[in-house]
Amino acid sequence: MEIMKLLNALPGAVSQGVIWGIMAIGVYITYRILDVADLTVDGSIATGGAVAAMLIISGCNAWVALVAAFVVGMLTGLVTGVFHTWMGIPAILSGILTQLALYSINLGIMSNKANTAVNANKYDLLVSLRNVRNFSLDNPILLLYWFFGTEYGCALRATGANVNMARAQGINTGRAKVVGLMLSNGLVALSGAQYQGYADVSMGRGAIVIGLAAVIIGEVLFGKIFRNFATKLIAVSIGAIIYYIVMQVVLWLGLPTNYLKLLTALVVAMFLAVPHWKSQLFTARSARKGEKQNA
């Protein structure tokens, strides 16, 4: 019976991992492609949820609500980008400032309510906890693969790889960072729209850690298998699914929900440490091999 409870809960965990895979891809864009630590994520995901919820409640089409959530998410990334590039504020602090401001903005969007429910039985949602048939990771991954294969997408990737060399090649690196931040937070906001069935000003708390967990899990488990850009995006998405399956198993084992944030931090720390441990092990083996050859 206990096993059946776990099996019954797994589809929900997988579907949530699929949706949050979009958020993880957004984190991947800033963390890996742009090499920028962006903490706007914790606020922009709630902004996307708030915008979509209020539009749907007011009678707006669910597709339009999704597009609006994406656009507003891009605006949050624009603010962070302006703070960082035009005002010269460090990237991590720029994200914190935007995240802080978004708390009040999200309250204003929801008419000063801390949360707003969007019941799937009452409203025609495209994606919800009980219905993910209308959603697929294929479309956003293909669009991103196409975009980053364009001349401007390559300029964004070059900016993250070596900002000085990119600048020497005539790339406006400041604008590239802003566009990358906008795209990242647009995807993050999109992941917060509709699926949860509600919008809450605190729904994004800890989202950046979950996104990083998905990125690191995907890289550690599939880094040697998935080497081109498209498959790396797929690996990140699979990492999000694995993360939520692990969380579901932990809950099934009886760990109190109060410790989930602690577990998330430990999971991220462990997967971040794996490449370092592998490097140390390789260095130690090379040193021993060199000593044997010199003996």
Side-chain angles (χ1 to χ4, degrees):
M1 292 298 293
E2 292 297 325
I3 291 293
M4 288 304 299
K5 287 182 180 179
L6 175 62
L7 294 177
N8 290 334
L10 284 181
V14 172
S15 63
Q16 188 162 5
V18 168
I19 299 299
W20 280 61
I22 294 297
M23 184 272 292
I25 291 174
V27 173
Y28 179 83
I29 290 173
T30 53
Y31 181 64
R32 284 302 190 210
I33 297 178
L34 288 180
D35 194 24
V36 171
D38 179 31
L39 298 183
T40 313
V41 171
D42 284 10
S44 58
I45 191 170
T47 304
V51 169
M54 297 306 292
L55 286 175
I56 290 172
I57 289 173
S58 64
C60 186
N61 181 273
W63 279 107
V64 176
L66 277 181
V67 173
F70 179 76
V71 172
V72 173
M74 291 184 72
L75 292 177
T76 66
L78 174 62
V79 173
T80 300
V82 169
F83 281 161
H84 177 49
T85 60
W86 187 59
M87 301 178 68
I89 301 173
I92 190 167
L93 184 55
S94 297
I96 292 173
L97 291 173
T98 306
Q99 177 194 138
L100 182 65
L102 284 176
Y103 186 87
S104 297
I105 292 171
N106 293 340
L107 278 174
I109 292 173
M110 294 191 292
S111 303
N112 295 320
K113 295 179 181 178
N115 52 70
T116 301
V118 187
N119 194 318
N121 294 325
K122 187 176 179 180
Y123 302 100
D124 187 20
L125 303 181
L126 291 170
V127 180
S128 66
L129 182 61
R130 292 173 296 176
N131 174 28
V132 292
R133 66 177 183 274
N134 294 321
F135 180 82
S136 172
L137 279 170
D138 297 343
N139 295 331
I141 288 177
L142 288 174
L143 286 172
L144 287 171
Y145 181 67
W146 168 81
F147 172 74
F148 281 103
T150 63
E151 183 177 351
Y152 197 78
C154 290
L156 262 68
R157 296 168 69 178
T159 299
N162 190 323
V163 66
N164 292 325
M165 182 61 72
R167 194 178 295 116
Q169 295 298 319
I171 298 172
N172 188 329
T173 56
R175 184 170 62 186
K177 287 181 180 180
V178 171
V179 172
L181 286 165
M182 290 176 66
L183 180 59
S184 169
N185 284 282
L187 291 171
V188 170
L190 185 64
S191 71
Q194 298 192 30
Y195 175 79
Q196 301 288 349
Y198 67 92
D200 190 285
V201 291
S202 300
M203 65 186 291
R205 186 173 297 169
I208 183 64
V209 179
I210 296 174
L212 285 174
V215 171
I216 301 304
I217 290 171
E219 288 181 341
V220 170
L221 296 181
F222 306 106
K224 292 185 177 180
I225 305 172
F226 298 162
R227 294 185 177 275
N228 67 31
F229 185 72
T231 53
K232 285 181 179 179
L233 294 180
I234 294 172
V236 170
S237 304
I238 296 175
I241 296 172
I242 292 174
Y243 169 82
Y244 275 101
I245 290 176
V246 170
M247 291 298 106
Q248 194 59 58
V249 171
V250 169
L251 289 174
W252 173 71
L253 291 174
L255 183 74
T257 56
N258 293 339
Y259 295 108
L260 283 181
K261 298 294 184 184
L262 173 61
L263 179 65
T264 299
L266 292 176
V267 167
V268 174
M270 289 296 293
F271 276 95
L272 281 171
V274 167
H276 175 68
W277 290 339
K278 284 184 176 179
S279 176
Q280 284 191 326
L281 182 61
F282 177 78
T283 303
R285 285 179 176 175
S286 298
R288 287 197 296 269
K289 187 176 181 180
E291 289 174 358
K292 289 179 180 180
Q293 290 177 347
N294 294 330

